[in-house]
Amino acid sequence: MSSQIIPVEPFDYVVFGGTGDLAERKLLPALYHRQMAGQFSEPTRIIGASRTEMTHDEYRKFATDALKEHLKPSELDKEGLEKFCARLFYVAVDAKADKGWDKLKALLDEAKERVRAFYLAVGPALFGDFSEKIRDHKLITKQTRIVVEKPIGRDLESALQLNDTIGKVFKEEQIFRIDHYLGKETVQNLMALRFANALYEPLWNAEHIDHVQLTVAESVGLESRAGYYDKAGALRDMVQNHMLQLLCLVAMEPPSSMDPEAVRDEKLKVLRSLKPITAANVEKTTVRGQYKAGASANGPVKGYLEELEGGVSDTETFVALKAEIGNWRWAGVPFYLRTGKRLVTRMSEIVITFKPVPHSIFDEAAGRISANQLVIRLQPDEGVKQWLMIKDPGPGGMRLRHVPLDMTFAQAFEVRNPDAYERLLLDVIRNNQTLFMRRDEVEAAWRWVDPILKAWDETGQKCQSYTAGTWGPSQAIALIERDGRTWHEGE
Ligand code: BG6
């Protein structure tokens, strides 16, 4: 089975921060893959821009090196690479000075009618400066879009300011706020599963679902991001955006269509229905953790504080929490969320546990009846498993077994699984906002997260330490086990 490729119209993608880490690791490889899939129409250009002085050819060399480093050798095609390089251009610009902007304007004005996307692959402190320069140099056309990434603020107030700053220059429909989790294949499959099957939706509520678990586990540590991460922590870095977006897709009401506003309206309602976590209940409903030295699959690893090189810090590298949604569909159904760095393995999944059967007709010899679970695996080994009870095959008495109906996508479909950025970068060109966060969503997420941060502060809730290479602090296990449930750590 193969996927259908529909080319997008020609575009000019300007990547500010074009020589940075995001461009090198994600954006350039994603654009290359889309070109190779036949999704570009000609003439399409990619324009790198940053402060460094560089010629077009030097940028082509930079991009070639980036692709060689981040793609598999089998994915690199000589002709394809030459074609990709031919569409690359470079202009040196400074967000704080006028130098270079005229050159960029001259280049872009060669094709005034073409779709024009500005990707701000730079820190949020520069969003305002770049937006203003783009406006002041008259680079905004009818077909212009701007793409920004998290962190969109570090609390509600700074998020409001940032959104205002960009909003002064661009209209909301021109602003694409990326949450790369929404571009992941299985995340979109969650929508297909829920809304293209008659099977699940009637059961998708408090009457039939016992609880939901969301886990985003990472095996990496701080990497080289101490400056950002130590000021952010896991709640801001992962929960405020990625995990709340996942929660919204699980919990939202069926939108009337895939229209961006219809989908985002429903997600917003979920965010607004989250019950507040405050100083009164924060200790019971949240756990903060920080890793100490331990082991990864590749051997011993340092603790967080050692990685900070002697720093003192109470920043959480792990968080587990119990969220509740105050509406009719989800009354009394807890959503347990956990995420952390330096955990046992890299694994993200959504687990929906259904309620047990109301009465068993089988005798004890048949064994225990386990609850049905739907496991949606985001990474690695993307796929969906529906766990069911069946009879152990063969003669003899009735013995029951819990087995998965397994649909591992890599086996089921012979297509390369695209990186999240591939879809999202081209959705910008298609002008499709469905998988992007609207301003009010980002702000509603902060409205729920801010009181948790405040409550941690007020109650002085400290990080529990956990050994690198484990599932986090024991208190996170207690958080769910107190309710008579356990974290799903199986297949
Ligand atoms: C980013 C976070 O948004 O997502 C990182 O800032 C994290 O800390 C990353 O490592 C995880 O993304 P993925 O796609 O590797 O799960």
Side-chain angles (χ1 to χ4, degrees):
M1 200 178 288
S2 69
S3 58
Q4 200 190 356
I5 304 286
I6 304 168
V8 297
E9 59 183 301
F11 58 84
D12 280 342
Y13 234 115
V14 183
V15 182
F16 293 111
T19 54
D21 190 53
L22 184 66
E24 185 190 323
R25 281 189 311 119
K26 293 287 182 186
L27 308 183
L28 291 168
L31 288 165
Y32 172 82
H33 275 307
R34 287 298 91 205
Q35 169 195 286
M36 296 311 288
Q39 206 147 23
F40 290 0
S41 306
E42 303 305 341
T44 273
R45 298 185 295 184
I46 297 155
I47 303 167
S50 76
R51 274 193 306 185
T52 321
E53 289 294 340
M54 220 185 239
T55 62
H56 298 315
D57 277 341
E58 280 166 342
Y59 192 58
R60 290 170 187 145
K61 165 88 174 58
F62 166 84
T64 305
D65 290 346
L67 295 180
K68 283 188 179 154
E69 187 173 341
H70 297 286
L71 298 184
K72 294 188 196 123
S74 60
E75 293 172 330
L76 276 171
D77 169 82
K78 190 165 174 282
E79 232 174 83
L81 194 57
E82 276 167 18
K83 199 166 167 198
F84 190 70
C85 281
R87 64 173 90 256
L88 289 177
F89 296 85
Y90 183 81
V91 184
V93 292
D94 188 336
K96 307 258 186 204
D98 287 320
K99 191 179 83 89
W101 288 90
D102 287 347
K103 260 197 197 158
L104 181 59
K105 181 169 171 55
L107 191 62
L108 288 173
D109 282 355
E110 287 172 16
K112 279 192 180 158
E113 304 300 316
R114 200 176 292 166
V115 171
R116 192 176 280 186
F118 294 109
Y119 199 118
L120 299 188
V122 296
L126 292 175
F127 288 177
D129 294 315
F130 271 112
S131 300
E132 282 163 17
K133 285 280 180 265
I134 291 169
R135 178 195 57 203
D136 295 349
H137 290 272
K138 304 202 168 25
L139 300 183
I140 305 176
T141 59
K142 273 197 198 134
Q143 291 263 60
T144 292
R145 285 134 219 185
I146 183 138
V147 190
V148 291
E149 280 242 18
K150 64 174 268 274
I152 300 181
R154 51 174 286 105
D155 52 20
L156 177 61
E157 198 190 326
S158 51
L160 288 169
Q161 273 171 14
L162 212 53
N163 279 333
D164 279 347
T165 310
I166 309 168
K168 271 189 203 133
V169 176
F170 296 96
K171 294 191 207 107
E172 180 62 25
E173 59 268 27
Q174 293 176 305
I175 306 169
F176 287 72
R177 295 181 191 82
I178 283 206
D179 184 313
H180 79 278
Y181 266 61
L182 293 183
K184 290 188 192 269
E185 193 69 17
T186 329
V187 174
Q188 293 162 66
N189 224 320
L190 177 58
M191 288 211 255
L193 206 66
R194 282 194 63 190
F195 305 127
N197 293 292
L199 201 61
Y200 289 109
E201 210 41 37
L203 304 180
W204 211 259
N205 53 47
E207 206 179 319
H208 300 286
I209 291 179
D210 177 74
H211 74 284
V212 177
Q213 295 181 20
L214 305 179
T215 296
V216 177
E218 295 191 87
S219 52
V220 293
L222 189 52
E223 298 179 290
S224 51
R225 301 163 76 217
Y228 154 75
Y229 194 86
D230 195 52
K231 287 199 196 77
L235 186 70
R236 288 188 178 94
D237 186 48
M238 297 297 288
V239 177
Q240 188 273 340
N241 36 73
H242 308 322
M243 296 197 77
L244 285 185
Q245 286 293 323
L246 296 182
L247 179 143
C248 284
L249 293 177
V250 174
M252 71 182 181
E253 294 299 315
S256 58
S257 70
M258 279 296 277
D259 172 79
E261 299 323 318
V263 172
R264 298 189 299 175
D265 286 348
E266 295 306 336
K267 289 195 325 197
L268 181 65
K269 284 186 210 158
V270 175
L271 291 167
R272 288 185 173 160
S273 309
L274 283 167
K275 290 195 185 170
I277 294 180
T278 60
N281 59 354
V282 74
E283 272 164 302
K284 272 206 183 135
T285 49
T286 69
V287 174
R288 310 176 64 219
Q290 190 185 77
Y291 61 86
K292 57 182 183 189
S296 77
N298 303 322
V301 291
K302 290 181 183 170
Y304 180 74
L305 296 182
E306 295 155 81
E307 282 192 59
L308 278 184
E309 288 173 358
V312 179
S313 167
D314 190 47
T315 297
E316 80 282 355
T317 59
F318 174 97
V319 63
L321 56 86
K322 178 178 170 182
E324 285 181 274
I325 301 171
N327 65 19
W328 276 39
R329 185 186 281 262
W330 296 114
V333 180
F335 282 65
Y336 299 98
L337 275 55
R338 64 174 171 168
T339 182
K341 301 242 179 238
R342 282 277 186 248
L343 298 186
V344 185
T345 184
R346 176 173 188 254
M347 189 275 278
S348 303
E349 66 179 20
I350 301 169
V351 182
I352 318 283
T353 302
F354 291 87
K355 292 212 161 141
V357 289
H359 164 74
S360 173
I361 62 167
F362 304 100
D363 58 30
E364 271 182 27
R368 200 169 66 89
I369 302 184
S370 303
N372 294 137
Q373 282 186 317
L374 176 67
V375 180
I376 301 159
R377 178 66 78 95
L378 273 60
Q379 58 199 22
D381 310 326
E382 315 202 351
V384 177
K385 280 184 189 172
Q386 174 63 69
W387 287 80
L388 301 165
M389 295 305 298
I390 60 151
K391 178 194 164 295
D392 214 355
M398 169 69 80
R399 280 182 312 275
L400 297 169
R401 249 168 74 179
H402 200 215
V403 292
L405 269 181
D406 184 353
M407 199 165 85
T408 303
F409 296 146
Q411 285 164 13
F413 302 103
E414 285 161 16
V415 288
R416 189 184 66 86
N417 208 344
D419 184 74
Y421 279 93
E422 293 183 40
R423 161 171 292 276
L424 297 175
L425 282 169
L426 290 204
D427 274 356
V428 173
I429 305 303
R430 291 185 201 101
N431 209 13
N432 183 348
Q433 287 264 15
T434 307
L435 299 177
F436 294 82
M437 293 178 296
R438 206 166 59 191
R439 174 179 181 144
D440 47 9
E441 278 183 79
V442 176
E443 293 170 4
W446 279 120
R447 270 194 190 90
W448 186 71
V449 165
D450 260 12
I452 303 178
L453 291 164
K454 198 163 147 244
W456 281 347
D457 213 37
E458 277 171 23
T459 60
Q461 191 174 327
K462 294 272 169 263
C463 283
Q464 312 292 336
S465 84
Y466 62 96
T467 306
T470 65
W471 277 110
S474 57
Q475 288 81 353
I477 297 168
L479 173 87
I480 191 165
E481 295 203 342
R482 271 202 299 273
D483 294 345
R485 302 179 174 109
T486 49
W487 289 110
H488 181 262
E489 272 154 28
E491 306 147 75

